Amino acid sequence: MGAENFTFVTQFTLEGLSKHRKTQTLLFMAILLIYSLTIVGNLVVILLVQSDSRLHTPMYFFLTHLSSAEICYATSTEPQMLAHLLDGKGILPFSSCVAQIFVVLFMGTAENFLLGIMAYDRYLAIFHPLLYAIIMSKGRQWRLVCSCWAAAFLFSLTYVCCTFSHSYCGPSHVDHFICDMPLVLKLACDDTRVTQAIISVMAGLGLMIPIALIMTSYGLILFSVLKMRSTSGQRKAFSTCASHLVVVTVFYGTVISMYMVPRSSTTSSRDKQIAVFYVVVTPLLNPIIYTLRNKDVHGAVSKVLWRRNLGQES
Protein backbone atom coordinates (compact mmCIF):
# COMPACT_ATOMS: atom_id res chain seq x y z
CA MET A 1 0.00 0.00 0.00
CA GLY A 2 1.66 3.17 -1.15
CA ALA A 3 1.84 6.46 0.72
CA GLU A 4 -0.07 8.12 -2.11
CA ASN A 5 -3.45 6.51 -2.47
CA PHE A 6 -5.63 7.99 -5.19
CA THR A 7 -8.59 6.37 -6.89
CA PHE A 8 -8.73 7.06 -10.62
CA VAL A 9 -11.38 4.52 -11.55
CA THR A 10 -14.88 5.99 -11.24
CA GLN A 11 -16.82 2.93 -12.40
CA PHE A 12 -16.42 -0.78 -13.05
CA THR A 13 -17.61 -2.69 -16.08
CA LEU A 14 -19.08 -6.08 -15.23
CA GLU A 15 -18.80 -8.66 -18.00
CA GLY A 16 -22.03 -10.36 -16.91
CA LEU A 17 -23.29 -13.83 -17.70
CA SER A 18 -23.79 -13.48 -21.44
CA LYS A 19 -23.35 -11.00 -24.32
CA HIS A 20 -26.18 -12.54 -26.39
CA ARG A 21 -29.39 -10.52 -26.23
CA LYS A 22 -31.75 -13.52 -26.33
CA THR A 23 -29.83 -15.23 -23.54
CA GLN A 24 -29.90 -12.02 -21.51
CA THR A 25 -33.69 -11.83 -21.92
CA LEU A 26 -34.15 -15.43 -20.76
CA LEU A 27 -31.81 -14.87 -17.81
CA PHE A 28 -33.71 -11.70 -16.91
CA MET A 29 -37.01 -13.59 -16.75
CA ALA A 30 -35.53 -16.48 -14.76
CA ILE A 31 -33.72 -14.27 -12.23
CA LEU A 32 -36.76 -11.99 -11.83
CA LEU A 33 -38.92 -15.02 -11.02
CA ILE A 34 -36.37 -16.46 -8.58
CA TYR A 35 -35.82 -13.08 -6.90
CA SER A 36 -39.59 -12.57 -6.45
CA LEU A 37 -39.97 -16.06 -4.97
CA THR A 38 -36.95 -15.47 -2.71
CA ILE A 39 -38.41 -12.28 -1.24
CA VAL A 40 -41.89 -13.76 -0.85
CA GLY A 41 -40.61 -17.06 0.59
CA ASN A 42 -38.38 -15.47 3.20
CA LEU A 43 -41.01 -12.87 4.12
CA VAL A 44 -43.57 -15.63 4.60
CA VAL A 45 -41.20 -17.43 7.00
CA ILE A 46 -40.69 -14.22 9.02
CA LEU A 47 -44.41 -13.38 9.12
CA LEU A 48 -45.43 -16.94 10.07
CA VAL A 49 -42.96 -16.98 12.96
CA GLN A 50 -44.23 -13.60 14.18
CA SER A 51 -47.90 -14.54 13.88
CA ASP A 52 -47.93 -18.03 15.45
CA SER A 53 -47.01 -18.36 19.13
CA ARG A 54 -46.08 -22.03 18.60
CA LEU A 55 -43.15 -20.84 16.50
CA HIS A 56 -41.83 -18.50 19.19
CA THR A 57 -38.88 -20.79 19.91
CA PRO A 58 -35.12 -20.17 19.63
CA MET A 59 -34.82 -22.18 16.41
CA TYR A 60 -37.41 -20.07 14.60
CA PHE A 61 -36.08 -16.87 16.16
CA PHE A 62 -32.69 -17.59 14.56
CA LEU A 63 -34.45 -18.63 11.35
CA THR A 64 -36.11 -15.20 11.04
CA HIS A 65 -32.69 -13.56 11.21
CA LEU A 66 -31.38 -16.02 8.63
CA SER A 67 -34.30 -15.15 6.34
CA SER A 68 -33.68 -11.42 6.89
CA ALA A 69 -30.05 -11.89 5.87
CA GLU A 70 -31.16 -13.79 2.76
CA ILE A 71 -33.55 -10.98 1.74
CA CYS A 72 -30.83 -8.33 2.14
CA TYR A 73 -28.27 -10.51 0.36
CA ALA A 74 -30.52 -11.14 -2.63
CA THR A 75 -31.54 -7.47 -2.80
CA SER A 76 -27.92 -6.33 -2.83
CA THR A 77 -27.15 -8.33 -5.99
CA GLU A 78 -30.17 -9.45 -8.01
CA PRO A 79 -31.83 -6.06 -8.83
CA GLN A 80 -28.46 -4.88 -10.17
CA MET A 81 -28.16 -8.07 -12.23
CA LEU A 82 -31.66 -7.54 -13.60
CA ALA A 83 -30.91 -3.92 -14.54
CA HIS A 84 -27.74 -4.93 -16.38
CA LEU A 85 -29.52 -7.75 -18.22
CA LEU A 86 -32.32 -5.40 -19.21
CA ASP A 87 -30.13 -2.65 -20.69
CA GLY A 88 -27.41 -5.01 -21.93
CA LYS A 89 -24.69 -3.05 -20.12
CA GLY A 90 -22.72 -3.79 -17.00
CA ILE A 91 -21.63 -0.37 -15.76
CA LEU A 92 -21.48 -0.01 -11.97
CA PRO A 93 -20.28 3.18 -10.24
CA PHE A 94 -17.29 2.82 -7.94
CA SER A 95 -19.31 3.69 -4.81
CA SER A 96 -22.00 1.15 -5.76
CA CYS A 97 -19.36 -1.53 -6.16
CA VAL A 98 -17.98 -0.74 -2.70
CA ALA A 99 -21.49 -0.85 -1.19
CA GLN A 100 -22.33 -4.12 -2.93
CA ILE A 101 -19.17 -5.85 -1.75
CA PHE A 102 -19.80 -4.66 1.81
CA VAL A 103 -23.45 -5.81 1.93
CA VAL A 104 -22.70 -9.16 0.24
CA LEU A 105 -19.89 -9.89 2.69
CA PHE A 106 -21.89 -8.58 5.65
CA MET A 107 -24.93 -10.75 4.94
CA GLY A 108 -22.90 -13.79 3.87
CA THR A 109 -20.77 -13.63 7.02
CA ALA A 110 -23.84 -13.11 9.22
CA GLU A 111 -25.44 -16.21 7.68
CA ASN A 112 -22.22 -18.09 8.29
CA PHE A 113 -22.25 -17.25 12.02
CA LEU A 114 -26.01 -17.77 12.35
CA LEU A 115 -25.70 -21.32 10.99
CA GLY A 116 -23.10 -22.02 13.69
CA ILE A 117 -25.40 -20.67 16.41
CA MET A 118 -28.30 -22.74 15.07
CA ALA A 119 -26.19 -25.89 15.31
CA TYR A 120 -25.37 -25.02 18.93
CA ASP A 121 -29.10 -24.50 19.53
CA ARG A 122 -29.89 -27.98 18.14
CA TYR A 123 -27.20 -29.47 20.41
CA LEU A 124 -28.77 -27.86 23.49
CA ALA A 125 -32.29 -28.95 22.47
CA ILE A 126 -31.23 -32.62 22.20
CA PHE A 127 -28.68 -32.87 25.03
CA HIS A 128 -30.34 -30.61 27.61
CA PRO A 129 -34.10 -30.74 26.88
CA LEU A 130 -35.13 -30.03 30.49
CA LEU A 131 -32.83 -27.02 30.89
CA TYR A 132 -33.13 -25.87 27.27
CA ALA A 133 -35.69 -23.12 27.91
CA ILE A 134 -33.56 -21.71 30.74
CA ILE A 135 -30.22 -21.91 28.91
CA MET A 136 -31.60 -20.51 25.66
CA SER A 137 -33.55 -17.68 27.27
CA LYS A 138 -34.79 -14.68 25.29
CA GLY A 139 -31.88 -12.61 26.57
CA ARG A 140 -29.37 -15.30 25.52
CA GLN A 141 -30.98 -15.51 22.07
CA TRP A 142 -30.61 -11.76 21.52
CA ARG A 143 -27.01 -11.76 22.78
CA LEU A 144 -26.10 -14.57 20.38
CA VAL A 145 -27.83 -12.91 17.41
CA CYS A 146 -26.31 -9.49 18.16
CA SER A 147 -22.88 -11.12 18.41
CA CYS A 148 -23.38 -12.68 14.95
CA TRP A 149 -24.36 -9.37 13.37
CA ALA A 150 -21.60 -7.42 15.13
CA ALA A 151 -18.91 -9.93 14.14
CA ALA A 152 -20.20 -9.98 10.54
CA PHE A 153 -20.12 -6.17 10.41
CA LEU A 154 -16.54 -5.98 11.70
CA PHE A 155 -15.32 -8.72 9.36
CA SER A 156 -16.94 -7.18 6.27
CA LEU A 157 -15.82 -3.65 7.19
CA THR A 158 -12.23 -4.89 7.50
CA TYR A 159 -12.44 -6.68 4.13
CA VAL A 160 -13.75 -3.55 2.39
CA CYS A 161 -11.30 -1.17 4.06
CA CYS A 162 -8.38 -3.41 3.09
CA THR A 163 -9.62 -3.87 -0.48
CA PHE A 164 -10.25 -0.19 -1.19
CA SER A 165 -7.20 1.18 0.58
CA HIS A 166 -5.41 0.54 -2.73
CA SER A 167 -5.25 2.71 -5.84
CA TYR A 168 -7.48 1.75 -8.77
CA CYS A 169 -6.23 3.40 -11.93
CA GLY A 170 -7.36 0.84 -14.53
CA PRO A 171 -8.27 -1.55 -16.01
CA SER A 172 -11.81 -1.54 -14.64
CA HIS A 173 -13.31 -4.66 -16.27
CA VAL A 174 -14.52 -7.33 -13.82
CA ASP A 175 -15.19 -10.74 -15.39
CA HIS A 176 -18.24 -11.39 -13.24
CA PHE A 177 -21.89 -10.37 -12.92
CA ILE A 178 -21.40 -8.72 -9.49
CA CYS A 179 -18.54 -6.86 -7.84
CA ASP A 180 -16.60 -9.84 -6.51
CA MET A 181 -13.99 -8.83 -3.92
CA PRO A 182 -11.11 -11.12 -5.07
CA LEU A 183 -11.54 -10.05 -8.71
CA VAL A 184 -11.80 -6.35 -7.84
CA LEU A 185 -8.68 -6.59 -5.68
CA LYS A 186 -6.77 -7.99 -8.67
CA LEU A 187 -7.41 -4.68 -10.46
CA ALA A 188 -5.50 -2.65 -7.86
CA CYS A 189 -2.50 -0.76 -9.24
CA ASP A 190 -0.21 -1.37 -6.27
CA ASP A 191 1.06 -4.37 -4.30
CA THR A 192 -1.81 -6.31 -2.68
CA ARG A 193 0.10 -9.22 -1.13
CA VAL A 194 -0.29 -7.95 2.46
CA THR A 195 -3.99 -7.26 1.92
CA GLN A 196 -4.54 -10.70 0.41
CA ALA A 197 -2.79 -12.31 3.39
CA ILE A 198 -4.94 -10.37 5.88
CA ILE A 199 -8.15 -11.22 4.04
CA SER A 200 -7.19 -14.90 3.72
CA VAL A 201 -6.45 -15.21 7.46
CA MET A 202 -9.68 -13.45 8.44
CA ALA A 203 -11.77 -15.44 5.95
CA GLY A 204 -10.22 -18.67 7.24
CA LEU A 205 -11.05 -17.76 10.84
CA GLY A 206 -14.53 -16.58 9.90
CA LEU A 207 -15.27 -19.90 8.23
CA MET A 208 -13.49 -22.27 10.61
CA ILE A 209 -15.07 -20.97 13.83
CA PRO A 210 -18.70 -21.71 12.76
CA ILE A 211 -17.64 -24.91 10.97
CA ALA A 212 -15.90 -26.14 14.13
CA LEU A 213 -19.02 -25.32 16.17
CA ILE A 214 -21.26 -27.11 13.65
CA MET A 215 -19.05 -30.20 13.42
CA THR A 216 -18.67 -30.43 17.21
CA SER A 217 -22.40 -29.99 17.82
CA TYR A 218 -23.48 -32.51 15.20
CA GLY A 219 -20.69 -34.92 16.10
CA LEU A 220 -22.01 -35.04 19.66
CA ILE A 221 -25.60 -35.27 18.41
CA LEU A 222 -24.74 -38.17 16.08
CA PHE A 223 -22.90 -39.99 18.87
CA SER A 224 -25.89 -39.54 21.17
CA VAL A 225 -28.44 -40.60 18.52
CA LEU A 226 -26.53 -43.78 17.66
CA LYS A 227 -26.61 -44.77 21.34
CA MET A 228 -30.41 -44.48 21.46
CA ARG A 229 -32.27 -47.77 21.59
CA SER A 230 -35.55 -46.25 20.47
CA THR A 231 -35.97 -46.01 16.69
CA SER A 232 -38.65 -43.33 17.11
CA GLY A 233 -36.23 -41.31 19.26
CA GLN A 234 -33.56 -41.55 16.59
CA ARG A 235 -36.05 -40.45 13.92
CA LYS A 236 -37.18 -37.49 16.03
CA ALA A 237 -33.61 -36.36 16.67
CA PHE A 238 -32.68 -36.64 12.99
CA SER A 239 -35.82 -34.79 11.86
CA THR A 240 -34.99 -31.99 14.31
CA CYS A 241 -31.62 -31.46 12.62
CA ALA A 242 -32.29 -32.50 9.03
CA SER A 243 -33.33 -29.12 7.60
CA HIS A 244 -30.43 -27.30 9.21
CA LEU A 245 -27.96 -29.91 7.99
CA VAL A 246 -29.18 -29.55 4.39
CA VAL A 247 -28.86 -25.74 4.56
CA VAL A 248 -25.37 -26.06 6.09
CA THR A 249 -24.30 -28.46 3.33
CA VAL A 250 -25.58 -26.18 0.56
CA PHE A 251 -24.10 -23.02 2.10
CA TYR A 252 -20.62 -24.31 2.89
CA GLY A 253 -20.44 -26.43 -0.25
CA THR A 254 -20.89 -23.39 -2.47
CA VAL A 255 -18.72 -21.11 -0.30
CA ILE A 256 -15.82 -23.55 -0.36
CA SER A 257 -16.25 -24.06 -4.12
CA MET A 258 -16.22 -20.29 -4.70
CA TYR A 259 -13.60 -18.99 -2.31
CA MET A 260 -11.50 -21.81 -0.88
CA VAL A 261 -10.77 -23.78 -4.08
CA PRO A 262 -7.90 -22.08 -5.98
CA ARG A 263 -9.09 -20.13 -9.01
CA SER A 264 -7.46 -19.78 -12.37
CA SER A 265 -6.09 -16.41 -13.47
CA THR A 266 -9.33 -15.76 -15.36
CA THR A 267 -12.87 -16.44 -14.25
CA SER A 268 -14.10 -19.63 -15.87
CA SER A 269 -17.71 -20.38 -16.80
CA ARG A 270 -17.69 -22.94 -13.97
CA ASP A 271 -16.88 -20.18 -11.45
CA LYS A 272 -19.79 -18.13 -12.73
CA GLN A 273 -22.16 -21.10 -12.63
CA ILE A 274 -21.26 -21.77 -9.00
CA ALA A 275 -21.66 -18.05 -8.27
CA VAL A 276 -25.13 -18.04 -9.87
CA PHE A 277 -26.17 -20.93 -7.64
CA TYR A 278 -24.78 -19.20 -4.54
CA VAL A 279 -26.00 -15.67 -5.31
CA VAL A 280 -29.38 -16.43 -6.92
CA VAL A 281 -30.56 -19.93 -6.01
CA THR A 282 -29.36 -20.45 -2.42
CA PRO A 283 -31.41 -17.57 -0.88
CA LEU A 284 -34.52 -19.22 -2.37
CA LEU A 285 -33.65 -22.74 -1.17
CA ASN A 286 -33.43 -21.94 2.53
CA PRO A 287 -37.12 -21.11 3.14
CA ILE A 288 -38.12 -24.08 0.98
CA ILE A 289 -35.86 -26.49 2.88
CA TYR A 290 -37.04 -25.26 6.28
CA THR A 291 -40.75 -25.40 5.41
CA LEU A 292 -41.03 -28.39 3.05
CA ARG A 293 -41.39 -31.12 5.69
CA ASN A 294 -41.84 -28.95 8.77
CA LYS A 295 -45.08 -29.82 10.58
CA ASP A 296 -44.90 -26.71 12.80
CA VAL A 297 -44.73 -24.41 9.77
CA HIS A 298 -47.48 -26.37 8.00
CA GLY A 299 -49.62 -25.90 11.08
CA ALA A 300 -48.91 -22.16 11.14
CA VAL A 301 -49.88 -21.87 7.46
CA SER A 302 -53.12 -23.78 8.08
CA LYS A 303 -53.88 -21.51 11.02
CA VAL A 304 -53.35 -18.35 8.94
CA LEU A 305 -55.52 -19.71 6.10
CA TRP A 306 -58.24 -20.73 8.56
CA ARG A 307 -58.28 -17.23 10.07
CA ARG A 308 -58.48 -15.72 6.60
CA ASN A 309 -61.39 -17.96 5.54
CA LEU A 310 -63.16 -17.24 8.84
CA GLY A 311 -62.74 -13.51 8.28
CA GLN A 312 -64.16 -13.73 4.76
CA GLU A 313 -67.17 -15.75 5.92
CA SER A 314 -67.95 -13.28 8.67
Side-chain angles (χ1 to χ4, degrees):
M1 301 178 194
E4 296 184 0
N5 186 24
F6 302 103
T7 299
F8 298 99
V9 171
T10 59
Q11 61 186 25
F12 290 98
T13 303
L14 306 181
E15 293 298 320
L17 290 167
S18 174
K19 295 295 183 184
H20 300 290
R21 197 63 194 144
K22 288 184 179 180
T23 305
Q24 288 177 339
T25 303
L26 290 173
L27 286 170
F28 175 85
M29 295 170 64
I31 292 172
L32 178 61
L33 175 62
I34 293 172
Y35 176 63
S36 302
L37 292 173
T38 298
I39 300 300
V40 171
N42 283 287
L43 279 177
V44 165
V45 169
I46 295 170
L47 293 174
L48 283 175
V49 173
Q50 295 298 322
S51 64
D52 195 327
S53 59
R54 292 175 298 178
L55 301 182
H56 293 176
T57 63
M59 182 179 75
Y60 293 106
F61 174 75
F62 296 131
L63 181 57
T64 59
H65 283 267
L66 189 69
S67 291
S68 300
E70 295 288 21
I71 290 171
C72 294
Y73 183 90
T75 303
S76 70
T77 55
E78 292 177 45
Q80 167 252 303
M81 293 171 63
L82 291 169
H84 288 175
L85 288 168
L86 194 62
D87 64 19
K89 300 176 183 178
I91 305 299
L92 197 65
F94 188 91
S95 58
S96 298
C97 182
V98 175
Q100 185 177 76
I101 288 176
F102 175 78
V103 176
V104 165
L105 292 173
F106 184 21
M107 296 304 149
T109 307
E111 184 174 350
N112 178 34
F113 288 127
L114 283 168
L115 289 173
I117 294 301
M118 291 172 79
Y120 173 65
D121 172 70
R122 293 300 82 207
Y123 160 77
L124 289 177
I126 291 174
F127 270 78
H128 304 284
L130 299 179
L131 297 174
Y132 176 65
I134 299 172
I135 298 173
M136 196 57 78
S137 63
K138 201 65 180 177
R140 173 69 64 84
Q141 293 171 43
W142 275 108
R143 285 193 293 273
L144 289 171
V145 160
C146 289
S147 298
C148 289
W149 287 111
F153 179 83
L154 291 174
F155 269 73
S156 53
L157 184 64
T158 304
Y159 294 146
V160 169
C161 288
C162 288
T163 300
F164 292 101
S165 63
H166 294 279
S167 299
Y168 289 86
C169 52
S172 60
H173 286 260
V174 180
D175 190 11
H176 213 288
F177 52 85
I178 61 171
C179 267
D180 186 47
M181 182 183 67
L183 294 178
V184 170
L185 187 58
K186 287 181 179 180
L187 301 177
C189 298
D190 45 10
D191 190 359
T192 62
R193 284 177 293 182
V194 174
T195 296
Q196 288 176 341
I198 293 170
I199 290 174
S200 295
V201 170
M202 289 192 66
L205 284 173
L207 273 176
M208 291 312 300
I209 291 172
I211 287 176
L213 184 58
I214 290 168
M215 291 184 69
T216 301
S217 298
Y218 280 113
L220 292 170
I221 289 170
L222 181 61
F223 181 73
S224 174
V225 168
L226 291 177
K227 287 172 63 178
M228 291 181 180
R229 294 182 179 180
S230 168
T231 307
S232 60
Q234 288 181 338
R235 263 199 304 268
K236 185 177 179 181
F238 278 125
S239 65
T240 302
C241 305
S243 298
H244 184 254
L245 274 173
V246 174
V247 171
V248 164
T249 303
V250 171
F251 179 83
Y252 287 106
T254 50
V255 167
I256 290 169
S257 298
M258 281 182 65
Y259 295 109
M260 304 305 287
V261 176
R263 296 185 179 189
S264 57
S265 56
T266 58
T267 304
S268 66
S269 58
R270 174 187 166 276
D271 293 331
K272 287 187 181 181
Q273 289 165 5
I274 294 172
V276 167
F277 184 82
Y278 180 71
V279 173
V280 179
V281 180
T282 301
L284 173 63
L285 287 179
N286 288 353
I288 294 174
I289 292 168
Y290 273 109
T291 59
L292 194 61
R293 297 181 61 187
N294 193 312
K295 293 181 180 178
D296 294 333
V297 174
H298 293 171
V301 172
S302 300
K303 189 176 179 181
V304 169
L305 293 175
W306 179 79
R307 284 177 180 174
R308 184 180 176 183
N309 291 333
L310 191 65
Q312 288 177 347
E313 289 174 2
S314 62

